Amino acid sequence: MQVTETLNEGLKRGYKLLLTAQELDDKVMDKLKDAQPDIEMKGFRKGKVPLPLLKKQFGQRVLGEAMQEAVDGAMSKHFEDSGERPAAEPAVKMTNENWQEGDDVEVEMTYEALPEIPEVDLKSLKLEKMVVKPDDAAVDEALGNLAESAQDFKDRKKGTKSKDGDQVVIDFVGKVDGEAFEGGSAEDYPLTLGSNSFIPGFEEQLVGVKVGDETEVKVTFPEEYGAEHLAGKDAVFECTVKEVKEPVAAEINDELATKYGAESLDDLKGQIRERLESEYAGAARAVMKRGMLDELDKMVSFELPPSMVEAEAKQIAHQIWHEENPEVEGHDHPEIEATEEHTTLAERRVRLGLLLAELGQKAEVEVTDAEMTQAVMEQARQYPGQERQFFEFVQNNPQMRQQLRAPIFEDKVIDYVAELADVTEKEVSKDELEKAIEEMEDE
């Protein structure tokens, strides 16, 4: 196949591919020869059907396949010989639209080439890594939060009215059209006001009650309520208030520790300290990563594929628009135009993405099967009861697998760069680390 260059401007490339009619016919005959030993036809023994007859019978079927293989082969050879890598799938189309069998095949191929990435002296990269050691005050604060979340309830003073957040112990009977319905009654039921565990509007009507009160709670079942015979119906719940309790934090002792799977209070404190160390280290790594990317961005400059920048800018604009318009969940909205600010950010992301990919490739960074499995399992937890379907979806969706692989690959490249860079540790307070995180997120 003849390949002729038609465009070479910056990273844009264009080529004309010419597959002669004779070359195509030869490829068709080669495919028929390969299939000949397995073909049976009336009047001929298996494998003895003449090629001219096979061509007449099956030639049209293999013509398109032979044409596609020829074009694919020419493209592969071009990239192998030139050493270029396309930024995206090349656009390929036949230019002689009125092609008929016996004509030469003319194909146009266009693409944007990935740029050459300049070498970076990673050992000259100077980075600062914050180190925060959890003090006793931080451990005590976290312990107090655990105690709050493991709250108990104690009786309020007799005659005290209930407040939002209190627990009321009630007997109730629910009725629709004056008739009690199945599943609508209970005795000594502990209900935390504000928990939204009952029908909308139920708990609010029990704020301000006291022990001994008998009150009617009037509600309307939601239209989408699970029990069809109650959906959309008005109901009255006759309630008797038996206890009113206020929330109190659980006592910080060994009993609290056992609730969280620890052997003792000291053991729980140790676990909290380890968790805080891990959280601080993760936050410090994020700050160092931002600093690393900022420095790398200053160290390199190369031409960027316009289509990659444009696509990234549109994605950024779209994401920001949805953040500013959270009430719009779908994509039924006017087209969102990327601004100069979006394009500038897109250029940084594309430049750094290409640089990290190059660094990772040269360092032979790989994402293992075990790491991918772990990533899929973590994502699958977001779909309780549908984990198997999610696994199958990922297995059959290369784009989804790439989305899961990309951040793992990037993190491993970041670790590789950090190992070579000149990293200085700086011990700081928790407040200083939090301030650094806030400043990073505000950028």
Side-chain angles (χ1 to χ4, degrees), residues 248-288:
V248 293
E251 289 189 31
I252 299 176
N253 51 26
D254 288 341
E255 184 179 347
L256 174 67
T258 58
K259 286 184 179 180
Y260 288 97
E263 295 179 359
S264 64
L265 182 58
D266 286 340
D267 183 31
L268 179 59
K269 286 183 177 180
Q271 292 180 18
I272 291 174
R273 193 177 297 276
E274 289 179 3
R275 176 175 60 80
L276 291 176
E277 286 176 350
S278 177
E279 290 178 1
Y280 295 160
R285 184 184 187 281
V287 174
M288 186 189 72

Side-chain angles (χ1 to χ4, degrees), residues 255-428:
E255 184 179 347
L256 174 67
T258 58
K259 286 184 179 180
Y260 288 97
E263 295 179 359
S264 64
L265 182 58
D266 286 340
D267 183 31
L268 179 59
K269 286 183 177 180
Q271 292 180 18
I272 291 174
R273 193 177 297 276
E274 289 179 3
R275 176 175 60 80
L276 291 176
E277 286 176 350
S278 177
E279 290 178 1
Y280 295 160
R285 184 184 187 281
V287 174
M288 186 189 72
K289 177 182 175 180
R290 170 58 67 87
M292 176 192 295
L293 295 178
D294 288 344
E295 291 304 310
L296 289 173
D297 193 36
K298 297 174 186 176
M299 296 171 71
V300 293
S301 178
F302 50 86
E303 190 173 2
L304 303 175
S307 61
M308 292 183 72
V309 173
E310 182 182 357
E312 186 67 27
K314 285 183 177 179
Q315 183 175 343
I316 292 170
H318 193 266
Q319 180 182 345
I320 292 175
W321 188 91
H322 273 284
E323 289 173 356
E324 294 173 348
N325 299 272
E327 70 281 0
V328 182
E329 295 183 1
H331 301 287
D332 185 17
H333 51 68
E335 185 175 351
I336 302 163
E337 295 291 335
T339 66
E340 186 176 344
E341 184 180 357
H342 298 144
T343 301
T344 299
L345 179 55
E347 288 173 346
R348 170 188 163 95
R349 288 189 181 179
V350 171
R351 182 164 48 250
L352 288 170
L354 291 174
L355 175 60
L356 292 178
E358 182 75 4
L359 292 173
Q361 183 181 16
K362 287 184 175 179
E364 299 183 349
V365 172
E366 293 184 357
V367 177
T368 66
D369 291 342
E371 289 167 336
M372 278 297 295
T373 300
Q374 181 65 29
V376 174
M377 289 176 63
E378 289 176 2
Q379 286 287 321
R381 292 193 187 101
Q382 298 180 22
Y383 307 95
Q386 298 179 312
E387 291 87 352
R388 182 175 178 180
Q389 293 93 318
F390 182 79
F391 270 91
E392 291 175 353
F393 170 72
V394 173
Q395 187 67 29
N396 298 319
N397 191 317
Q399 186 176 359
M400 186 63 184
R401 290 201 300 275
Q402 178 57 27
Q403 288 180 7
L404 293 174
R405 178 186 177 279
I408 303 172
F409 177 83
E410 180 178 295
D411 278 345
K412 296 184 80 169
V413 176
I414 293 295
D415 290 339
Y416 163 74
V417 174
E419 287 177 6
L420 294 177
D422 181 7
V423 181
T424 302
E425 292 190 349
K426 179 183 178 182
E427 192 166 330
V428 299

Side-chain angles (χ1 to χ4, degrees), residues 174-185 199 219-237:
K175 297 181 179 180
V176 172
D177 296 329
E179 296 291 330
F181 57 88
E182 185 179 354
S185 303
I199 306 164
V219 295
T220 300
F221 282 96
E223 292 291 343
E224 65 277 8
Y225 194 69
E228 292 184 8
H229 66 290
L230 297 175
K233 295 289 183 68
D234 292 331
V236 176
F237 285 83

Side-chain angles (χ1 to χ4, degrees), residues 161-163 168 170 191 193 198 201-210 215-217 239 241:
K161 293 182 178 180
S162 64
K163 300 177 182 178
V168 292
I170 57 175
L191 175 63
L193 304 181
F198 268 33
F202 190 104
E203 295 169 23
E204 292 87 338
Q205 296 178 54
L206 291 176
V207 174
V209 300
K210 57 185 185 297
T215 184
E216 290 187 346
V217 173
C239 302
V241 182

